[in-house]
């Protein structure tokens, strides 16, 4: 059973982190032209929507958003023949600057699966990674370009991101596994 150990970010801290990530994306890409945002399901999709909305407010242009289901591309879950792909990318990948958004980056395996899924759909001009939380412990040479919060954790802890759209509240917590 997972038990909450500590709240790391509340709604205001998450909002500030999303705003900061949005500004960094705009600055690095010199605006929002040719920029497309893809959230990794599930909570990365909600964060991607928020980042796109914030960039649109700041730049005065619409930024297209998609969501990516990486289940079939995971190297740790091979039994996916009967799974439905819930990916929704309403734009072509070819030649676009893609911002891939995830809630937590940990080992890097989910991001690797997401890049495989994107590259299978076309050759993007660039793929950049935004993560609300980077908790370290990488198993692959992947790093986020934009990070809301670096949060060193032990391997026996887990980071839980809750978003209003799915969970009824915005917060990031560290949880530990108990024997109950």
């Amino acid at each position: 059973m997972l038990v909450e150990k500590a709240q790391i970010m509340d709604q205001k801290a998450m909002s500030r982190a999303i705003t900061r990530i949005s500004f960094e994306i705009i600055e690095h890409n010199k605006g929002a032209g040719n920029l497309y945002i893809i959230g990794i399901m599930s909570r990365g999709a909600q964060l991607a929507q928020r980042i796109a909305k914030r960039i649109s407010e700041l730049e005065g242009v619409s930024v297209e958003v998609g969501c990516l289901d990486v289940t079939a591309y995971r190297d740790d879950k091979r039994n996916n023949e009967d799974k439905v792909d819930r990916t929704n990318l309403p734009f072509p990948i070819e030649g676009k600057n893609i911002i891939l958004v995830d809630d937590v980056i940990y080992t890097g395996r989910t991001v690797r699966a997401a890049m495989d899924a994107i590259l299978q759909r076309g050759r993007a001009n660039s793929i950049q990674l935004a993560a609300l939380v980077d908790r370290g412990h990488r198993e692959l040479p992947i790093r986020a370009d934009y990070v809301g919060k670096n949060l060193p954790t032990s391997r026996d802890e887990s980071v839980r991101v809750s978003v209003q759209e799915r969970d009824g509240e915005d917060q990031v917590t560290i949880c530990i596994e108990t024997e109950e």
Side-chain angles (χ1 to χ4, degrees):
M1 181 168 104
L2 279 180
V3 175
E4 185 178 312
K5 179 178 170 183
Q7 183 184 57
I8 303 304
M9 298 174 87
D10 60 10
Q11 185 273 328
K12 286 184 179 184
M14 283 179 64
S15 179
R16 285 190 300 271
I18 288 167
T19 296
R20 186 174 59 257
I21 289 169
S22 301
F23 272 111
E24 289 175 4
I25 290 169
I26 292 166
E27 184 176 333
H28 182 265
N29 290 281
K30 297 175 180 54
N34 201 34
L35 201 63
Y36 295 77
I37 301 180
I38 299 175
I40 299 174
M41 290 183 151
S42 62
R43 285 163 185 82
Q46 282 82 35
L47 296 172
Q49 290 284 345
R50 293 180 189 188
I51 290 169
K53 181 179 180 211
R54 190 70 180 117
I55 290 172
S56 294
E57 291 168 355
L58 294 167
E59 289 292 292
V61 297
S62 179
V63 178
E64 288 198 61
V65 184
C67 61
L68 189 62
D69 181 356
V70 300
T71 307
Y73 297 88
R74 298 287 307 233
D75 63 359
D76 57 348
K77 297 179 175 124
R78 293 287 183 195
N79 230 353
N80 297 317
E81 293 82 28
D82 59 340
K83 299 283 184 185
V84 175
D85 184 2
R86 300 173 296 149
T87 296
N88 178 18
L89 297 177
F91 47 83
I93 298 296
E94 201 69 34
K96 307 295 192 248
N97 293 322
I98 303 295
I99 307 297
L100 189 58
V101 179
D102 203 1
D103 57 350
V104 178
I105 183 168
Y106 180 39
T107 63
R109 294 190 178 279
T110 300
V111 174
R112 187 218 42 91
M115 289 190 301
D116 285 350
I118 289 169
L119 293 172
Q120 186 176 18
R121 289 169 167 82
R123 184 180 169 100
N125 184 49
S126 69
I127 300 174
Q128 300 163 46
L129 176 61
L132 183 64
V133 176
D134 183 343
R135 63 173 290 199
H137 303 287
R138 222 65 89 239
E139 294 174 4
L140 300 172
I142 293 173
R143 74 169 176 80
D145 299 285
Y146 315 103
V147 177
K149 183 162 190 72
N150 286 294
L151 183 62
T153 60
S154 69
R155 287 194 180 270
D156 62 341
E157 295 173 320
S158 64
V159 175
R160 186 182 331 177
V161 174
S162 300
V163 292
Q164 183 70 41
E165 299 89 336
R166 293 183 62 87
D167 308 302
E169 64 183 338
D170 284 340
Q171 69 173 352
V172 176
T173 56
I174 291 182
C175 300
I176 54 172
E177 186 77 33
T178 63
E179 304 273 333
E180 294 179 24

